[in-house]
Amino acid sequence: MSYRPANAIDRLILPLDVPTVEQARQLVTQTKGLVGTYKIGMQLQFAGGLQFAEELAKEGHSIFLDVKLLDIDNTIASAVKNVSKMGMKFMTVHAYPKNMRAAVSALEDVGNKDLCLLGVTVLTSMDEQDLKDAGYARSTEALVEHRAHDAVAAGVGGIVCSPLEAKAMREKVGDKLCIVTPGVRPKGSDAGDQRRIMTPYDAIKAGSDYLVIGRPIYRADDPRAAAEAIVSEIESAL
Ligand code: C5P
């Protein structure tokens, strides 16, 4: 199963990081035809987002359930089996070897070949100091590389990393895995809490398959125009 994108629109993932399902629905309507996949993360999951994710999938949208799961093998396997019934295109698990292996083998057990499991390497809001504070002795790049290697070995469909690491990861994982990068900011937009960032153009050139871009779109005065500009920027890099 290949999870490589078909075109520029397919490469854009919009996180619906808004407080309510009504606001999320509005964003989906505003950006119709310009977004490949809508991502539902923690904020919306705690406000009816899981049902909404299934609803959007039934309407034919491609949906990324960003659950970032990490737990004991049995719990991970049971959770993945339930998510596999929801019609999602992507879901995230933390890129710990056992965690990813449990998720992959659960999907194999249920015979689901459509759901792409993504291993989250190192959060793009973390820099060297944050890693040090969390007790890691490695640099971000070394830790991402280590986790990418484990992701290939575990057999997940892709990894989530910063676009700053995309080039090195592409060299490391080849075409075996898709590379999904948050931490993307068009020129002039606010970085917010993201630390390891790049522009959409540079991220695609660095080898990212999919770009997760939220605030520069949903906080724009005109989210549709912002999404349009990003799709054109992606196109210009292909
Ligand atoms: O608004 P912004 O473009 O920063 O949104 C990035 C999205 O990607 C958020 O939903 C965030 O939870 C998610 N994400 C991330 N870094 C990761 C994994 C997911 O920023 N490593």
Side-chain angles (χ1 to χ4, degrees):
M1 177 80 194
S2 163
Y3 299 103
R4 308 312 290 279
N7 53 40
I9 291 174
D10 201 22
R11 289 172 183 261
L12 178 59
I13 300 179
L14 175 62
L16 299 172
D17 292 338
V18 288
T20 65
V21 165
E22 293 77 70
Q23 284 164 279
R25 170 67 76 186
Q26 200 185 342
L27 258 178
V28 171
T29 308
Q30 278 173 319
T31 56
K32 198 166 180 250
L34 288 171
V35 169
T37 296
Y38 291 100
K39 182 170 90 68
I40 295 190
M42 262 175 224
Q43 181 181 16
L44 210 56
Q45 283 162 31
F46 295 119
L50 296 176
Q51 289 89 327
F52 183 54
E54 285 193 271
E55 200 183 307
L56 287 176
K58 283 199 186 106
E59 288 170 15
H61 292 285
S62 162
I63 306 300
F64 175 167
L65 197 62
D66 192 8
V67 269
K68 296 190 182 72
L69 297 181
L70 174 63
D71 212 312
I72 60 169
D73 298 1
N74 181 56
T75 304
I76 286 293
S78 318
V80 168
K81 283 180 184 171
N82 271 350
V83 174
S84 85
K85 298 174 196 157
M86 293 174 67
M88 303 291 105
K89 175 166 178 187
F90 299 104
M91 79 172 279
T92 41
V93 297
H94 278 285
Y96 288 73
K98 279 180 79 175
N99 200 52
M100 290 188 286
R101 283 200 299 271
V104 169
S105 79
L107 269 194
E108 284 169 2
D109 283 353
V110 295
N112 186 327
K113 294 189 166 59
D114 299 324
L115 176 61
C116 175
L117 285 170
L118 299 173
V120 178
T121 57
V122 176
L123 294 173
T124 44
S125 59
M126 295 183 83
D127 59 18
E128 304 289 330
Q129 187 58 45
D130 295 318
L131 279 186
K132 216 165 145 200
D133 292 347
Y136 290 97
R138 295 170 191 241
S139 66
T140 40
E141 180 129 340
L143 187 55
V144 170
E145 191 173 325
H146 179 87
R147 293 198 166 151
H149 174 267
D150 291 341
V152 174
V156 293
I159 53 167
V160 183
C161 63
S162 155
L164 295 180
E165 293 121 24
K167 190 166 181 286
M169 290 314 106
R170 179 60 73 208
E171 280 158 17
K172 180 108 198 142
V173 304
D175 284 340
K176 284 192 227 94
L177 301 187
C178 68
I179 298 181
V180 179
T181 58
V184 179
R185 290 289 179 265
K187 269 198 192 88
S189 61
D190 189 8
D193 57 351
Q194 297 286 11
R195 293 281 174 272
R196 308 197 320 279
I197 58 172
M198 246 188 199
T199 64
Y201 181 92
D202 290 342
I204 294 292
K205 285 287 183 207
S208 300
D209 291 305
Y210 297 94
L211 310 184
V212 182
I213 310 180
R215 283 163 285 185
I217 296 176
Y218 66 75
R219 287 204 183 148
D221 292 337
D222 183 347
R224 187 167 182 86
E228 242 157 14
I230 288 169
V231 169
S232 314
E233 188 173 335
I234 294 173
E235 213 142 39
S236 71
L238 295 175

